Amino acid sequence: MPPPASSSWTALLRPAPHARRRLVVFPHAGAGPDSYASLLTRLPDDVEVLGVTLPGRERRPDEAPGTSPDAVAHGVAGELAERAPLPTVYFGHSLGALLAVATARARPGLCDGLVVSAAFPGSRAHPFPDLLESAEGLAAILTRHRLPADALTAPGPLSGRERLLAHDLELTRRALVSVAGTCLPVPLTALAGTDDPIVPAATLPLWGGFTSGGFRCRLVEGGHYFPFLPAGRRALLAEIADALTAAPAYQATGT
């Protein structure tokens, strides 16, 4: 089965001519999947790697930034459903973790396992959960990331990169609320940095409530972007490889 003719959400980061497994990468806020390409080069040769691209970056530079968790989930799942079936694991970092969960929930039969890193396990784990659905909550998230509280509404002197980040932080806010109460029937592995100033390591075990299919968590030395450091990269690759190995040797068609 060929890839979808009009792929916009997913792109091939690393081909595998004799692919037996697939990894789908959901990147962090402000980034595109290309930033993960070099990080994942040491996966086994039979692993095909697809990257998820949000509007306004990399392969979609002319599109206005900003989207919804549902749009991402259904867009990505729809394209995956058109590809040849393979045992598939989703990996998401920070915002990407939440989008990976939303996508796995949208079409459960397409995902055989998840690996998430450096992300709050839903809105209840957030420092101000009761404000997340308000303008005050969004303003607090923006200022925590050193952006103006009105970055999405006021015509201020933001760079293109800052405006992209602001839209992704709004998507993060919506995704935190959207995934609350999710429980997936596939194994889930969660990683966190020991010194992450954004997502406290103490929230890591709460990811266990997102799965009925087996849970593993692991603390890794480093901050919010620990996967981009040598020790963090090794730890992440080991967990992704284990998740791919554990995936069943078939792929359901989804529902």
Side-chain angles (χ1 to χ4, degrees), residues 185-250:
V186 297
L188 187 152
T189 299
L191 298 91
T194 54
D195 303 306
D196 189 336
I198 299 174
V199 182
T203 66
L204 184 62
L206 297 178
W207 276 108
F210 281 73
T211 178
S212 61
F215 174 62
R216 170 178 167 80
C217 62
R218 179 175 179 179
L219 277 174
V220 182
E221 185 175 352
H224 191 65
Y225 297 104
F226 70 85
F228 294 93
L229 300 175
R233 179 166 56 248
R234 288 192 295 270
L236 175 63
L237 286 173
E239 297 299 340
I240 289 175
D242 284 352
L244 286 164
T245 300
Y250 62 88

Side-chain angles (χ1 to χ4, degrees), residues 9-124:
W9 292 100
T10 60
L12 193 60
L13 291 186
R14 195 187 76 161
H18 304 288
R20 298 179 62 191
R21 295 166 287 175
R22 176 179 291 137
L23 177 70
V24 183
V25 179
F26 296 74
H28 61 276
D34 286 355
S35 59
Y36 290 80
S38 61
L39 188 154
L40 300 168
T41 54
R42 295 189 181 181
L43 287 172
D45 291 341
D46 66 352
V47 178
E48 174 186 276
V49 181
L50 299 179
V52 173
T53 306
L54 300 181
R57 71 212 75 195
E58 291 184 5
R59 297 159 188 85
R60 307 174 69 180
D62 298 327
E63 298 181 45
T67 185
S68 70
D70 280 349
V72 177
H74 291 288
V76 172
E79 291 183 11
L80 291 177
E82 294 183 41
R83 289 183 173 269
L86 287 171
T88 298
V89 169
Y90 295 172
F91 162 63
H93 182 75
S94 196
L95 164 62
L98 303 172
L99 298 179
V101 169
T103 304
R105 180 183 61 188
R107 296 283 292 271
L110 297 174
C111 177
D112 298 298
L114 287 103
V115 178
V116 299
S117 61
F120 283 109
S123 56
R124 302 314 303 177

